[in-house]
């Protein structure tokens, strides 16, 4: 799989579906669980750069401006929080630099968005 090719796009779309399902369930889960959910159709290692690229693109496709970042639901197995790349993306592309912004609030906003009966 290479960034932007047909396999990448298919993996990104599958990842988006998985994360929306997690959101409807009101759960976060690990990068490893996300990798396993994508397999065997899409081989994305949970520690690999491809995982970061896909999660960022899922956010870009799913969220604009103030809409919650869907990738907030994928977390590190030990810290139970998203990776540094998530926080960097939150600040640089999604302008989450308000002093009262937290990952937990972002995660809860994702849950609220997808649990509503009119979820996209």
């Amino acid at each position: 799989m290479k960034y932007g090719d047909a396999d990448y796009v298919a993996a990104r779309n599958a990842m988006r579906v998985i994360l929306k399902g997690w959101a409807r369930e009101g759960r976060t889960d690990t990068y490893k669980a996300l990798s396993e959910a994508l397999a065997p159709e899409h081989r994305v290692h949970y520690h690999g750069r491809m995982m970061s690229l896909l999660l960022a693109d899922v956010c870009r496709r799913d969220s604009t401006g103030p809409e919650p970042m869907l990738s907030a639901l994928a977390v590190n197995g030990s810290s139970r929080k998203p990776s540094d790349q998530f926080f960097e993306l939150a600040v640089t592309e999604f302008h989450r630099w308000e002093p009262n912004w937290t990952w937990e609030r972002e995660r809860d906003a994702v849950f609220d968005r997808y649990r509503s009966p009119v979820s996209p």
Side-chain angles (χ1 to χ4, degrees):
M1 176 184 326
K2 293 182 181 176
Y3 181 80
D5 69 11
D7 290 337
Y8 178 90
V9 171
R12 183 200 63 213
N13 293 341
M15 183 179 283
R16 187 171 181 225
V17 169
I18 292 164
L19 290 172
K20 284 182 178 184
W22 291 2
R24 283 189 293 277
E25 294 171 16
R27 78 182 238 226
T28 60
D29 213 327
T30 64
Y31 298 111
K32 184 176 183 181
L34 182 55
S35 178
E36 290 169 350
L38 288 166
E41 293 86 11
H42 309 287
R43 298 176 68 75
V44 180
H45 193 277
Y46 58 97
H47 282 306
R49 174 148 169 74
M50 194 58 64
M51 177 65 77
S52 294
L53 292 172
L54 286 163
L55 283 166
D57 277 354
V58 163
C59 272
R60 291 180 190 112
R61 289 266 179 203
D62 190 70
S63 309
T64 57
E67 294 171 345
M69 298 171 63
L70 188 56
S71 67
L73 305 184
V75 298
N76 178 286
S78 32
S79 72
R80 303 306 293 180
K81 291 185 178 183
S83 70
D84 290 342
Q85 290 92 346
F86 168 81
F87 292 100
E88 182 179 326
L89 184 69
V91 171
T92 60
E93 291 190 40
F94 289 86
H95 311 294
R96 303 296 201 266
W97 51 65
E98 304 90 31
N100 61 345
W101 180 87
T102 64
W103 158 73
E104 292 86 354
R105 288 182 59 195
E106 193 77 20
R107 174 203 61 205
D108 293 348
V110 172
F111 293 157
D112 290 344
R113 179 180 182 194
Y114 287 99
R115 281 196 228 166
S116 70
V118 292
S119 296

